[in-house]
Amino acid sequence: MFADRAKIIIKSGKGGDGHVSFRREKFVPAGGPDGGDGGKGGDVVFEIDNGMNNLSDYRHRRKFAATAGEEGGKKKCHGKNGTDLVLKVPEGTVVKDAASGKVIADMSRDNRRQIVLKGGRGGLGNMHFATSTMQAPKYAQPGGPSIELEVQLELKVLADVGLVGFPNVGKSTLLSRLTNANPEIANYHFTTLNPILGVVDLEDGKGFVMADIPGLIEGASEGVGLGHEFLRHIERTKVLLHLVDGASVEGRDPVEDIKTINEELSAYNMDLMSKPQIIVANKMDAVSPEEKEAILQKLHDAFPDNKIFVISAVSGEGIDPLIREVAAELEAYQGEDIIYEQEFDPSDLLAEEGSYTVEINEDGEYVVEGPKIEKMLGYINIDSEKGFIFFQRFLKEQGILKELEEKGIQEGDTVRMYGLVFDYYK
Ligand SMILES: Nc1nc2c(ncn2[C@@H]2O[C@H](COP(=O)(O)OP(=O)(O)OP(=O)(O)O)[C@@H](O)[C@H]2O)c(=O)[nH]1
Ligand SMILES: [Mg+2]
């Protein structure tokens, strides 16, 4: 089944905890701490797979998780790192935070591979926490947390030119004529159900990508016909070809058709209306030369600002000038490829939890805990002068000193931060 949307839950691996152990040797009654570090948790990575063209792999399974890092061991043994989870997606897949709709990653062009959720870092073993006052630290750092997130995957194909129009006007016929693509063509509505890409080769080795999409009808934005969700596939295009049945084979009025489709385009996304739009009256083989002139005139009068071409996708009439015009429009296109910027970094979810708590335990000790504190303790050496100055500044800048005072701390009271215990003096 073709799918261009999927909602899944992804989870990175938790970091392995640091280990608490002490060296045991003959004749050495109390060896130093030798607890090793935990392994890093696995990342969740998205990667473009050129062999894929849709997201159906993600329709049947909801949860995807990387594995956790293993705990450190005694004798300074490092825990095994968790395995990364690599999720393959077709090029053009946009990964969004499901809750907010903000873009996390656009798997397009140069962005072949992106770490979307980082695994938790491995916790440091107690071998790192020995100080002159604490030679047998019973503390090791827990592994960093995993992140779980629901994400929306949306395929927005990368095409230069998009074909829009009512059903049955000949969009797929035109694509098959211009490119090596083989879309289904038939004389009924909604023959095309999924977007199809084709490459139009130009003389000088250049070319462009054209996207054929399902037909639109009045009310598509309210879900009539196939709806209008598939318009996401022309969001990145630079030029739109608006096809109409110039011969009115089904008795419809091409001018009205164009207006109707444009209303549906703007209901989907106003940005689509700012793209250059070339009007293409198709099926000209089915009318007399006089009728052809009349149709062209009528379209010019109704849409004086648009370029208008009359063609026959079946006979090939009028197609070369149309392609030259499209190529010129693309040449003149000043903007960059439409690539979505990252608006949301899942690592921020952890930063929000970066605060700390201050509590007084039964022994009257002031216990300060929180991921930020842990992190800081993991990376500084409090015995060095530099480390100690950093530590003091950290307590002040993070508002921890203030908080302790508010909780009523007095000189000489004990402060406990994981393995670090010290007396409070101003
Ligand atoms: N006479 C004539 N018939 C055409 C021309 N182009 C397409 N047709 C016919 O119109 C019918 C519809 O063509 P498609 O290419 O499937 O139309 P479409 O716009 O892709 O239709 P949907 O996928 O349903 O939106 C087919 O029977 C084609 O043979 C043309 O230039 N002249
Ligand atoms: Mg079609």
Side-chain angles (χ1 to χ4, degrees):
M1 194 196 99
F2 187 93
D4 52 12
R5 276 162 81 101
K7 211 184 244 185
I8 58 170
I9 293 169
I10 52 175
K11 189 178 176 188
S12 62
K14 180 188 169 310
D17 295 338
H19 190 70
V20 177
S21 56
F22 297 93
R23 216 163 34 238
R24 280 169 191 275
E25 284 167 48
K26 270 184 194 168
F27 314 118
V28 185
D34 73 349
D37 302 341
K40 185 188 161 304
D43 299 331
V44 177
V45 181
F46 278 83
E47 199 175 86
I48 294 176
D49 181 340
N50 287 333
M52 286 172 83
N53 70 353
N54 70 69
L55 294 168
S56 53
D57 287 6
Y58 298 98
R59 294 302 281 230
H60 307 293
R61 213 175 123 196
R62 274 278 285 164
K63 278 198 137 183
F64 297 84
T67 62
E70 283 176 13
E71 193 188 338
K74 52 192 176 192
K75 295 187 181 160
K76 303 190 175 177
C77 261
H78 197 284
K80 210 172 143 226
N81 289 341
T83 312
D84 293 344
L85 174 74
V86 180
L87 297 174
K88 308 248 182 186
V89 291
E91 180 166 21
T93 299
V94 181
V95 183
K96 293 180 173 174
D97 172 39
S100 65
K102 289 189 175 160
V103 174
I104 301 170
D106 183 351
M107 303 311 299
S108 297
R109 301 287 189 232
D110 294 339
N111 194 29
R112 315 296 301 174
R113 188 182 161 90
Q114 181 172 332
I115 298 173
V116 162
L117 296 184
K118 284 205 182 76
R121 47 131 191 74
L124 296 174
N126 73 332
M127 64 181 185
H128 298 279
F129 295 101
T131 64
S132 56
T133 52
M134 171 62 66
Q135 288 182 358
K138 293 209 179 70
Y139 164 77
Q141 190 184 33
S146 69
I147 312 176
E148 186 174 289
L149 190 69
E150 185 171 41
V151 291
Q152 172 85 50
L153 310 183
E154 289 182 5
L155 179 60
K156 293 173 190 271
V157 301
L158 291 145
D160 303 297
V161 180
L163 295 172
V164 295
F166 264 78
N168 231 22
V169 296
K171 299 181 295 298
S172 301
T173 308
L174 182 61
L175 185 83
S176 72
R177 171 139 209 129
L178 293 176
T179 73
N180 50 0
N182 275 316
E184 200 180 325
I185 294 166
N187 190 17
Y188 56 82
H189 290 198
F190 303 117
T191 306
T192 303
L193 298 174
N194 303 306
I196 299 172
L197 301 183
V199 179
V200 180
D201 292 318
L202 300 174
E203 285 151 13
D204 42 7
K206 290 187 192 162
F208 57 84
V209 177
M210 190 177 249
D212 176 26
I213 58 173
L216 283 160
I217 55 175
E218 184 167 11
S221 54
E222 276 106 51
V224 182
L226 294 179
H228 69 173
E229 283 301 313
F230 53 78
L231 289 176
R232 82 168 60 85
H233 296 294
I234 57 165
E235 281 181 53
R236 302 193 204 239
T237 58
K238 299 160 188 166
V239 177
L240 295 181
L241 292 192
H242 195 148
L243 254 72
V244 284
D245 174 1
S248 297
V249 171
E250 297 180 31
R252 276 202 316 266
D253 175 5
V255 172
E256 287 310 312
D257 279 6
I258 292 172
K259 288 182 182 160
T260 304
I261 298 291
N262 281 341
E263 268 163 35
E264 298 302 327
L265 294 181
S266 47
Y268 176 78
N269 180 349
M270 276 313 279
D271 292 347
L272 293 183
M273 292 306 295
S274 58
K275 296 181 194 293
Q277 198 179 93
I278 299 172
I279 293 173
V280 181
N282 189 29
K283 306 198 182 181
M284 282 300 149
D285 54 287
V287 298
S288 68
E290 298 77 46
E291 282 172 310
K292 192 161 106 182
E293 272 312 308
I295 290 159
L296 192 55
Q297 191 57 52
K298 194 173 154 188
L299 288 170
H300 270 299
D301 292 344
F303 306 101
D305 299 332
N306 291 72
K307 296 244 165 63
I308 299 168
F309 289 80
V310 289
I311 67 162
S312 165
V314 166
S315 76
E317 175 197 343
I319 284 186
D320 285 346
L322 172 64
I323 292 311
R324 278 198 296 276
E325 174 58 25
V326 173
E329 290 272 4
L330 290 175
E331 193 82 21
Y333 179 82
Q334 290 294 323
E336 303 268 306
D337 283 337
I338 300 174
I339 300 291
Y340 297 94
E341 297 285 326
Q342 183 168 14
E343 299 167 331
F344 176 70
D345 180 354
S347 309
D348 294 347
L349 292 171
L350 295 180
E352 279 166 28
E353 294 162 16
S355 55
Y356 55 85
T357 55
V358 177
E359 269 156 32
I360 306 171
N361 68 12
E362 339 45 293
D363 300 332
E365 294 172 338
Y366 288 77
V367 181
V368 186
E369 284 183 346
K372 234 183 190 164
I373 311 274
E374 267 210 88
K375 194 168 173 194
M376 180 270 302
L377 288 176
Y379 293 114
I380 66 161
N381 174 7
I382 205 157
D383 290 335
S384 75
E385 197 186 328
K386 258 194 188 155
F388 187 68
I389 292 170
F390 178 88
F391 178 67
Q392 281 187 315
R393 198 178 335 124
F394 181 90
L395 294 185
K396 193 164 169 227
E397 282 173 359
Q398 297 293 320
I400 296 169
L401 289 181
K402 199 164 153 245
E403 175 105 19
L404 286 168
E405 278 162 21
E406 278 170 16
K407 288 251 154 77
I409 198 165
Q410 301 294 320
E411 300 238 333
D413 283 347
T414 303
V415 178
R416 180 178 285 278
M417 294 179 172
Y418 297 93
L420 181 69
V421 181
F422 61 92
D423 294 340
Y424 175 82
Y425 289 104
K426 271 202 168 171

